[in-house]
Amino acid sequence: MFNFLKSNPSKKLRKQYDIKLEQAMLAQRKGDIKSYSMLTAEAEQIWKEIETLEENSS
């Protein structure tokens, strides 16, 4: 009945994912390839969490 009041966990993860990708882009522009690769790996991990959440909710 009040499903619209429940928070969406994938929405929060998507925001974190976008932030990580932006941080990775900025690190790449600065020439810091090590940080870029670490941030990209973290973003991929967040994306996997998003995919599992969305699969379970369907």
Side-chain angles (χ1 to χ4, degrees):
M1 181 172 162
F2 291 104
N3 286 337
F4 66 92
L5 295 176
K6 291 183 181 179
S7 64
N8 188 355
S10 66
K11 186 175 181 181
K12 183 178 179 181
L13 285 174
R14 284 183 185 270
K15 185 177 272 190
Q16 289 177 350
Y17 175 74
D18 290 339
I19 290 170
K20 287 292 180 188
L21 283 181
E22 185 175 354
Q23 290 173 345
M25 177 198 59
L26 293 174
Q28 186 182 30
R29 284 185 179 176
K30 290 180 184 177
D32 189 1
I33 302 304
K34 184 177 180 181
S35 293
Y36 166 73
S37 62
M38 291 177 66
L39 289 167
T40 304
E42 290 176 19
E44 288 177 8
Q45 191 68 18
I46 293 171
W47 186 254
K48 288 179 184 177
E49 291 178 31
I50 292 170
E51 287 179 333
T52 56
L53 277 174
E54 290 180 354
E55 286 177 4
N56 293 337
S57 67
S58 297

